[in-house]
PDB file of all heavy atoms in Angstrom:
ATOM      1  N   TYR A   1      -4.048  12.733   2.249  1.00 80.00           N
ATOM      2  CA  TYR A   1      -3.848  11.568   1.451  1.00 80.00           C
ATOM      3  C   TYR A   1      -2.765  10.750   2.133  1.00 80.00           C
ATOM      4  O   TYR A   1      -1.652  11.180   2.351  1.00 80.00           O
ATOM      5  CB  TYR A   1      -3.264  11.969   0.050  1.00 80.00           C
ATOM      6  CG  TYR A   1      -3.228  10.758  -0.893  1.00 80.00           C
ATOM      7  CD1 TYR A   1      -4.306  10.169  -1.336  1.00 80.00           C
ATOM      8  CD2 TYR A   1      -1.985  10.226  -1.238  1.00 80.00           C
ATOM      9  CE1 TYR A   1      -4.255   9.035  -2.221  1.00 80.00           C
ATOM     10  CE2 TYR A   1      -1.877   9.167  -2.059  1.00 80.00           C
ATOM     11  CZ  TYR A   1      -3.066   8.565  -2.594  1.00 80.00           C
ATOM     12  OH  TYR A   1      -3.006   7.420  -3.362  1.00 80.00           O
ATOM     13  N   GLY A   2      -3.171   9.570   2.650  1.00 72.00           N
ATOM     14  CA  GLY A   2      -2.339   8.797   3.553  1.00 72.00           C
ATOM     15  C   GLY A   2      -1.310   7.923   3.004  1.00 72.00           C
ATOM     16  O   GLY A   2      -1.185   6.737   3.362  1.00 72.00           O
ATOM     17  N   MET A   3      -0.392   8.481   2.177  1.00 79.00           N
ATOM     18  CA  MET A   3       0.747   7.737   1.778  1.00 79.00           C
ATOM     19  C   MET A   3       1.839   8.753   1.169  1.00 79.00           C
ATOM     20  O   MET A   3       1.526   9.925   1.014  1.00 79.00           O
ATOM     21  CB  MET A   3       0.454   6.654   0.664  1.00 79.00           C
ATOM     22  CG  MET A   3      -0.086   7.248  -0.657  1.00 79.00           C
ATOM     23  SD  MET A   3      -0.375   5.924  -1.881  1.00 79.00           S
ATOM     24  CE  MET A   3       1.382   5.387  -2.200  1.00 79.00           C
ATOM     25  N   GLY A   4       3.024   8.224   1.038  1.00 70.00           N
ATOM     26  CA  GLY A   4       4.073   9.059   0.422  1.00 70.00           C
ATOM     27  C   GLY A   4       4.434  10.193   1.499  1.00 70.00           C
ATOM     28  O   GLY A   4       4.384  10.037   2.602  1.00 70.00           O
ATOM     29  N   LYS A   5       4.780  11.356   0.934  1.00 69.00           N
ATOM     30  CA  LYS A   5       5.356  12.416   1.810  1.00 69.00           C
ATOM     31  C   LYS A   5       4.264  12.989   2.596  1.00 69.00           C
ATOM     32  O   LYS A   5       4.483  13.836   3.491  1.00 69.00           O
ATOM     33  CB  LYS A   5       6.089  13.484   0.929  1.00 69.00           C
ATOM     34  CG  LYS A   5       5.207  14.103  -0.193  1.00 69.00           C
ATOM     35  CD  LYS A   5       6.018  15.116  -0.916  1.00 69.00           C
ATOM     36  CE  LYS A   5       5.237  15.729  -2.095  1.00 69.00           C
ATOM     37  NZ  LYS A   5       5.064  14.746  -3.242  1.00 69.00           N
ATOM     38  N   THR A   6       2.934  12.761   2.252  1.00 71.00           N
ATOM     39  CA  THR A   6       1.860  13.256   3.037  1.00 71.00           C
ATOM     40  C   THR A   6       1.352  12.298   3.986  1.00 71.00           C
ATOM     41  O   THR A   6       0.234  12.463   4.619  1.00 71.00           O
ATOM     42  CB  THR A   6       0.704  13.695   2.040  1.00 71.00           C
ATOM     43  OG1 THR A   6       0.351  12.558   1.214  1.00 71.00           O
ATOM     44  CG2 THR A   6       1.091  14.852   1.230  1.00 71.00           C
ATOM     45  N   SER A   7       2.080  11.108   4.186  1.00 70.00           N
ATOM     46  CA  SER A   7       1.671  10.130   5.155  1.00 70.00           C
ATOM     47  C   SER A   7       1.769  10.714   6.556  1.00 70.00           C
ATOM     48  O   SER A   7       2.893  11.405   6.892  1.00 70.00           O
ATOM     49  CB  SER A   7       2.574   8.867   5.006  1.00 70.00           C
ATOM     50  OG  SER A   7       2.202   7.973   6.007  1.00 70.00           O
ATOM     51  N   VAL A   8       0.831  10.407   7.460  1.00 76.00           N
ATOM     52  CA  VAL A   8       0.983  10.878   8.864  1.00 76.00           C
ATOM     53  C   VAL A   8       0.832   9.665   9.813  1.00 76.00           C
ATOM     54  O   VAL A   8       0.325   8.657   9.335  1.00 76.00           O
ATOM     55  CB  VAL A   8      -0.111  11.912   9.173  1.00 76.00           C
ATOM     56  CG1 VAL A   8       0.124  13.228   8.357  1.00 76.00           C
ATOM     57  CG2 VAL A   8      -1.500  11.425   8.922  1.00 76.00           C
ATOM     58  N   GLN A   9       1.231   9.860  11.041  1.00 81.00           N
ATOM     59  CA  GLN A   9       1.146   8.738  12.036  1.00 81.00           C
ATOM     60  C   GLN A   9      -0.296   8.393  12.219  1.00 81.00           C
ATOM     61  O   GLN A   9      -1.198   9.281  12.470  1.00 81.00           O
ATOM     62  CB  GLN A   9       1.801   9.158  13.312  1.00 81.00           C
ATOM     63  CG  GLN A   9       3.365   9.069  13.254  1.00 81.00           C
ATOM     64  CD  GLN A   9       4.032   9.265  14.570  1.00 81.00           C
ATOM     65  OE1 GLN A   9       3.252   9.647  15.559  1.00 81.00           O
ATOM     66  NE2 GLN A   9       5.236   8.989  14.677  1.00 81.00           N
ATOM     67  N   SER A  10      -0.695   7.098  12.201  1.00 84.00           N
ATOM     68  CA  SER A  10      -2.032   6.664  12.521  1.00 84.00           C
ATOM     69  C   SER A  10      -1.970   5.160  12.908  1.00 84.00           C
ATOM     70  O   SER A  10      -1.167   4.425  12.362  1.00 84.00           O
ATOM     71  CB  SER A  10      -2.912   6.856  11.250  1.00 84.00           C
ATOM     72  OG  SER A  10      -4.180   6.193  11.490  1.00 84.00           O
ATOM     73  N   LYS A  11      -2.882   4.864  13.777  1.00 89.00           N
ATOM     74  CA  LYS A  11      -2.968   3.374  14.168  1.00 89.00           C
ATOM     75  C   LYS A  11      -3.470   2.538  13.084  1.00 89.00           C
ATOM     76  O   LYS A  11      -3.482   1.303  13.138  1.00 89.00           O
ATOM     77  CB  LYS A  11      -3.824   3.224  15.391  1.00 89.00           C
ATOM     78  CG  LYS A  11      -5.288   3.597  15.276  1.00 89.00           C
ATOM     79  CD  LYS A  11      -5.967   3.473  16.606  1.00 89.00           C
ATOM     80  CE  LYS A  11      -7.519   3.919  16.516  1.00 89.00           C
ATOM     81  NZ  LYS A  11      -8.230   3.853  17.731  1.00 89.00           N
ATOM     82  N   PHE A  12      -4.017   3.156  11.964  1.00 90.00           N
ATOM     83  CA  PHE A  12      -4.526   2.466  10.838  1.00 90.00           C
ATOM     84  C   PHE A  12      -3.573   2.391   9.733  1.00 90.00           C
ATOM     85  O   PHE A  12      -3.857   1.962   8.563  1.00 90.00           O
ATOM     86  CB  PHE A  12      -5.859   3.118  10.357  1.00 90.00           C
ATOM     87  CG  PHE A  12      -6.956   3.102  11.395  1.00 90.00           C
ATOM     88  CD1 PHE A  12      -7.302   4.263  12.004  1.00 90.00           C
ATOM     89  CD2 PHE A  12      -7.581   1.905  11.697  1.00 90.00           C
ATOM     90  CE1 PHE A  12      -8.380   4.313  12.936  1.00 90.00           C
ATOM     91  CE2 PHE A  12      -8.520   1.878  12.673  1.00 90.00           C
ATOM     92  CZ  PHE A  12      -8.922   3.101  13.305  1.00 90.00           C
ATOM     93  N   ASN A  13      -2.273   2.809   9.893  1.00 93.00           N
ATOM     94  CA  ASN A  13      -1.242   2.687   8.872  1.00 93.00           C
ATOM     95  C   ASN A  13      -0.753   1.212   8.811  1.00 93.00           C
ATOM     96  O   ASN A  13      -0.750   0.469   9.723  1.00 93.00           O
ATOM     97  CB  ASN A  13      -0.057   3.542   9.237  1.00 93.00           C
ATOM     98  CG  ASN A  13      -0.326   5.057   8.866  1.00 93.00           C
ATOM     99  OD1 ASN A  13      -1.273   5.339   8.193  1.00 93.00           O
ATOM    100  ND2 ASN A  13       0.527   5.990   9.351  1.00 93.00           N
ATOM    101  N   ILE A  14      -0.343   0.917   7.590  1.00 94.00           N
ATOM    102  CA  ILE A  14       0.287  -0.397   7.270  1.00 94.00           C
ATOM    103  C   ILE A  14       1.757  -0.096   6.805  1.00 94.00           C
ATOM    104  O   ILE A  14       1.916   0.875   6.113  1.00 94.00           O
ATOM    105  CB  ILE A  14      -0.494  -1.143   6.116  1.00 94.00           C
ATOM    106  CG1 ILE A  14      -1.944  -1.271   6.521  1.00 94.00           C
ATOM    107  CG2 ILE A  14       0.165  -2.480   5.787  1.00 94.00           C
ATOM    108  CD1 ILE A  14      -2.792  -1.801   5.391  1.00 94.00           C
ATOM    109  N   PRO A  15       2.681  -0.824   7.189  1.00 94.00           N
ATOM    110  CA  PRO A  15       4.068  -0.569   6.830  1.00 94.00           C
ATOM    111  C   PRO A  15       4.182  -0.454   5.300  1.00 94.00           C
ATOM    112  O   PRO A  15       3.538  -1.344   4.591  1.00 94.00           O
ATOM    113  CB  PRO A  15       4.843  -1.798   7.300  1.00 94.00           C
ATOM    114  CG  PRO A  15       4.056  -2.259   8.538  1.00 94.00           C
ATOM    115  CD  PRO A  15       2.614  -1.956   8.246  1.00 94.00           C
ATOM    116  N   GLY A  16       4.981   0.468   4.764  1.00 92.00           N
ATOM    117  CA  GLY A  16       4.868   0.798   3.453  1.00 92.00           C
ATOM    118  C   GLY A  16       5.106  -0.318   2.404  1.00 92.00           C
ATOM    119  O   GLY A  16       4.307  -0.494   1.441  1.00 92.00           O
ATOM    120  N   ARG A  17       6.159  -1.099   2.592  1.00 95.00           N
ATOM    121  CA  ARG A  17       6.461  -2.136   1.581  1.00 95.00           C
ATOM    122  C   ARG A  17       5.393  -3.179   1.647  1.00 95.00           C
ATOM    123  O   ARG A  17       4.961  -3.646   0.520  1.00 95.00           O
ATOM    124  CB  ARG A  17       7.806  -2.757   1.931  1.00 95.00           C
ATOM    125  CG  ARG A  17       8.972  -1.895   1.769  1.00 95.00           C
ATOM    126  CD  ARG A  17      10.325  -2.617   2.055  1.00 95.00           C
ATOM    127  NE  ARG A  17      11.307  -1.608   2.466  1.00 95.00           N
ATOM    128  CZ  ARG A  17      12.093  -0.872   1.638  1.00 95.00           C
ATOM    129  NH1 ARG A  17      11.789  -1.021   0.348  1.00 95.00           N
ATOM    130  NH2 ARG A  17      12.914  -0.138   2.090  1.00 95.00           N
ATOM    131  N   ILE A  18       4.884  -3.582   2.772  1.00 96.00           N
ATOM    132  CA  ILE A  18       3.874  -4.634   2.952  1.00 96.00           C
ATOM    133  C   ILE A  18       2.571  -4.113   2.208  1.00 96.00           C
ATOM    134  O   ILE A  18       1.922  -4.870   1.421  1.00 96.00           O
ATOM    135  CB  ILE A  18       3.633  -4.968   4.374  1.00 96.00           C
ATOM    136  CG1 ILE A  18       4.836  -5.664   5.020  1.00 96.00           C
ATOM    137  CG2 ILE A  18       2.345  -5.924   4.490  1.00 96.00           C
ATOM    138  CD1 ILE A  18       4.706  -5.921   6.514  1.00 96.00           C
ATOM    139  N   ALA A  19       2.228  -2.929   2.559  1.00 95.00           N
ATOM    140  CA  ALA A  19       1.023  -2.380   1.895  1.00 95.00           C
ATOM    141  C   ALA A  19       1.053  -2.301   0.419  1.00 95.00           C
ATOM    142  O   ALA A  19       0.165  -2.630  -0.317  1.00 95.00           O
ATOM    143  CB  ALA A  19       0.732  -0.974   2.494  1.00 95.00           C
ATOM    144  N   TRP A  20       2.245  -1.808  -0.109  1.00 96.00           N
ATOM    145  CA  TRP A  20       2.390  -1.604  -1.507  1.00 96.00           C
ATOM    146  C   TRP A  20       2.341  -2.872  -2.229  1.00 96.00           C
ATOM    147  O   TRP A  20       1.559  -3.032  -3.282  1.00 96.00           O
ATOM    148  CB  TRP A  20       3.802  -0.988  -1.772  1.00 96.00           C
ATOM    149  CG  TRP A  20       3.933  -0.492  -3.218  1.00 96.00           C
ATOM    150  CD1 TRP A  20       4.330  -1.288  -4.229  1.00 96.00           C
ATOM    151  CD2 TRP A  20       3.570   0.757  -3.749  1.00 96.00           C
ATOM    152  NE1 TRP A  20       4.295  -0.594  -5.424  1.00 96.00           N
ATOM    153  CE2 TRP A  20       3.761   0.684  -5.105  1.00 96.00           C
ATOM    154  CE3 TRP A  20       3.065   1.893  -3.219  1.00 96.00           C
ATOM    155  CZ2 TRP A  20       3.628   1.791  -6.004  1.00 96.00           C
ATOM    156  CZ3 TRP A  20       2.879   3.000  -4.058  1.00 96.00           C
ATOM    157  CH2 TRP A  20       3.132   2.910  -5.430  1.00 96.00           C
ATOM    158  N   VAL A  21       3.049  -3.918  -1.864  1.00 97.00           N
ATOM    159  CA  VAL A  21       3.013  -5.230  -2.463  1.00 97.00           C
ATOM    160  C   VAL A  21       1.514  -5.783  -2.470  1.00 97.00           C
ATOM    161  O   VAL A  21       1.110  -6.253  -3.528  1.00 97.00           O
ATOM    162  CB  VAL A  21       3.927  -6.207  -1.872  1.00 97.00           C
ATOM    163  CG1 VAL A  21       3.785  -7.617  -2.485  1.00 97.00           C
ATOM    164  CG2 VAL A  21       5.424  -5.784  -2.121  1.00 97.00           C
ATOM    165  N   THR A  22       0.974  -5.794  -1.316  1.00 97.00           N
ATOM    166  CA  THR A  22      -0.376  -6.452  -1.228  1.00 97.00           C
ATOM    167  C   THR A  22      -1.487  -5.658  -1.918  1.00 97.00           C
ATOM    168  O   THR A  22      -2.518  -6.301  -2.234  1.00 97.00           O
ATOM    169  CB  THR A  22      -0.735  -6.678   0.335  1.00 97.00           C
ATOM    170  OG1 THR A  22      -0.711  -5.377   1.004  1.00 97.00           O
ATOM    171  CG2 THR A  22       0.194  -7.669   0.955  1.00 97.00           C
ATOM    172  N   MET A  23      -1.301  -4.467  -2.203  1.00 97.00           N
ATOM    173  CA  MET A  23      -2.299  -3.670  -2.929  1.00 97.00           C
ATOM    174  C   MET A  23      -1.939  -3.613  -4.396  1.00 97.00           C
ATOM    175  O   MET A  23      -2.976  -3.374  -5.191  1.00 97.00           O
ATOM    176  CB  MET A  23      -2.421  -2.213  -2.327  1.00 97.00           C
ATOM    177  CG  MET A  23      -1.420  -1.264  -2.749  1.00 97.00           C
ATOM    178  SD  MET A  23      -1.544   0.286  -1.794  1.00 97.00           S
ATOM    179  CE  MET A  23      -0.496   1.390  -2.803  1.00 97.00           C
ATOM    180  N   GLU A  24      -0.806  -3.893  -4.804  1.00 97.00           N
ATOM    181  CA  GLU A  24      -0.531  -3.852  -6.236  1.00 97.00           C
ATOM    182  C   GLU A  24      -0.519  -5.198  -6.996  1.00 97.00           C
ATOM    183  O   GLU A  24      -0.878  -5.337  -8.103  1.00 97.00           O
ATOM    184  CB  GLU A  24       0.906  -3.212  -6.433  1.00 97.00           C
ATOM    185  CG  GLU A  24       0.917  -1.711  -6.041  1.00 97.00           C
ATOM    186  CD  GLU A  24       0.231  -0.776  -7.162  1.00 97.00           C
ATOM    187  OE1 GLU A  24       0.503  -0.975  -8.320  1.00 97.00           O
ATOM    188  OE2 GLU A  24      -0.504   0.132  -6.715  1.00 97.00           O
ATOM    189  N   VAL A  25      -0.093  -6.204  -6.246  1.00 97.00           N
ATOM    190  CA  VAL A  25      -0.007  -7.581  -6.831  1.00 97.00           C
ATOM    191  C   VAL A  25      -1.335  -8.118  -7.296  1.00 97.00           C
ATOM    192  O   VAL A  25      -1.271  -8.841  -8.313  1.00 97.00           O
ATOM    193  CB  VAL A  25       0.755  -8.551  -5.855  1.00 97.00           C
ATOM    194  CG1 VAL A  25       0.486  -9.983  -6.135  1.00 97.00           C
ATOM    195  CG2 VAL A  25       2.206  -8.224  -5.757  1.00 97.00           C
ATOM    196  N   PRO A  26      -2.442  -7.903  -6.636  1.00 97.00           N
ATOM    197  CA  PRO A  26      -3.686  -8.428  -7.090  1.00 97.00           C
ATOM    198  C   PRO A  26      -4.018  -8.053  -8.551  1.00 97.00           C
ATOM    199  O   PRO A  26      -4.855  -8.757  -9.209  1.00 97.00           O
ATOM    200  CB  PRO A  26      -4.753  -7.792  -6.110  1.00 97.00           C
ATOM    201  CG  PRO A  26      -4.001  -7.632  -4.894  1.00 97.00           C
ATOM    202  CD  PRO A  26      -2.615  -7.171  -5.211  1.00 97.00           C
ATOM    203  N   GLY A  27      -3.506  -6.886  -9.011  1.00 97.00           N
ATOM    204  CA  GLY A  27      -3.858  -6.552 -10.380  1.00 97.00           C
ATOM    205  C   GLY A  27      -3.353  -7.555 -11.445  1.00 97.00           C
ATOM    206  O   GLY A  27      -4.088  -8.190 -12.194  1.00 97.00           O
ATOM    207  N   PHE A  28      -2.008  -7.723 -11.469  1.00 97.00           N
ATOM    208  CA  PHE A  28      -1.543  -8.636 -12.606  1.00 97.00           C
ATOM    209  C   PHE A  28      -1.780 -10.044 -12.372  1.00 97.00           C
ATOM    210  O   PHE A  28      -1.979 -10.858 -13.226  1.00 97.00           O
ATOM    211  CB  PHE A  28      -0.037  -8.298 -12.957  1.00 97.00           C
ATOM    212  CG  PHE A  28       0.965  -8.993 -11.908  1.00 97.00           C
ATOM    213  CD1 PHE A  28       1.403 -10.162 -12.137  1.00 97.00           C
ATOM    214  CD2 PHE A  28       1.408  -8.222 -10.832  1.00 97.00           C
ATOM    215  CE1 PHE A  28       2.367 -10.679 -11.305  1.00 97.00           C
ATOM    216  CE2 PHE A  28       2.298  -8.676 -10.007  1.00 97.00           C
ATOM    217  CZ  PHE A  28       2.892 -10.013 -10.185  1.00 97.00           C
ATOM    218  N   THR A  29      -1.869 -10.537 -11.048  1.00 98.00           N
ATOM    219  CA  THR A  29      -2.180 -11.882 -10.771  1.00 98.00           C
ATOM    220  C   THR A  29      -3.712 -12.258 -11.152  1.00 98.00           C
ATOM    221  O   THR A  29      -3.942 -13.306 -11.735  1.00 98.00           O
ATOM    222  CB  THR A  29      -2.000 -12.273  -9.350  1.00 98.00           C
ATOM    223  OG1 THR A  29      -2.666 -11.305  -8.480  1.00 98.00           O
ATOM    224  CG2 THR A  29      -0.502 -12.153  -8.968  1.00 98.00           C
ATOM    225  N   THR A  30      -4.583 -11.234 -10.967  1.00 98.00           N
ATOM    226  CA  THR A  30      -5.963 -11.455 -11.385  1.00 98.00           C
ATOM    227  C   THR A  30      -5.997 -11.479 -12.877  1.00 98.00           C
ATOM    228  O   THR A  30      -6.796 -12.380 -13.461  1.00 98.00           O
ATOM    229  CB  THR A  30      -6.790 -10.297 -10.863  1.00 98.00           C
ATOM    230  OG1 THR A  30      -6.849 -10.405  -9.446  1.00 98.00           O
ATOM    231  CG2 THR A  30      -8.314 -10.435 -11.334  1.00 98.00           C
ATOM    232  N   LEU A  31      -5.397 -10.661 -13.578  1.00 98.00           N
ATOM    233  CA  LEU A  31      -5.363 -10.692 -15.103  1.00 98.00           C
ATOM    234  C   LEU A  31      -4.842 -12.004 -15.565  1.00 98.00           C
ATOM    235  O   LEU A  31      -5.460 -12.599 -16.509  1.00 98.00           O
ATOM    236  CB  LEU A  31      -4.580  -9.456 -15.567  1.00 98.00           C
ATOM    237  CG  LEU A  31      -4.610  -9.381 -17.135  1.00 98.00           C
ATOM    238  CD1 LEU A  31      -4.862  -7.956 -17.681  1.00 98.00           C
ATOM    239  CD2 LEU A  31      -3.288  -9.887 -17.743  1.00 98.00           C
ATOM    240  N   LEU A  32      -3.768 -12.502 -15.021  1.00 98.00           N
ATOM    241  CA  LEU A  32      -3.165 -13.672 -15.484  1.00 98.00           C
ATOM    242  C   LEU A  32      -4.126 -14.918 -15.238  1.00 98.00           C
ATOM    243  O   LEU A  32      -4.302 -15.847 -16.134  1.00 98.00           O
ATOM    244  CB  LEU A  32      -1.795 -14.007 -14.763  1.00 98.00           C
ATOM    245  CG  LEU A  32      -0.630 -13.173 -15.243  1.00 98.00           C
ATOM    246  CD1 LEU A  32       0.580 -13.400 -14.325  1.00 98.00           C
ATOM    247  CD2 LEU A  32      -0.294 -13.472 -16.642  1.00 98.00           C
TER     248      LEU A  32
END
């Protein structure tokens, strides 16, 4: 599972904060 304490090094990783915001924000903005 590629996030949190089980995150491992990979060239397909996205920096945590950037990934989190961009994957969570579409939820409430879409609803609005």
Side-chain angles (χ1 to χ4, degrees):
Y1 189 69
M3 68 177 288
K5 60 180 175 289
T6 55
S7 177
V8 295
Q9 288 188 347
S10 169
K11 62 182 179 181
F12 298 109
N13 281 350
I14 304 171
R17 294 184 205 279
I18 294 172
W20 189 274
V21 171
T22 54
M23 74 188 195
E24 293 283 317
V25 163
F28 78 90
T29 53
T30 298
L31 182 134
L32 285 173

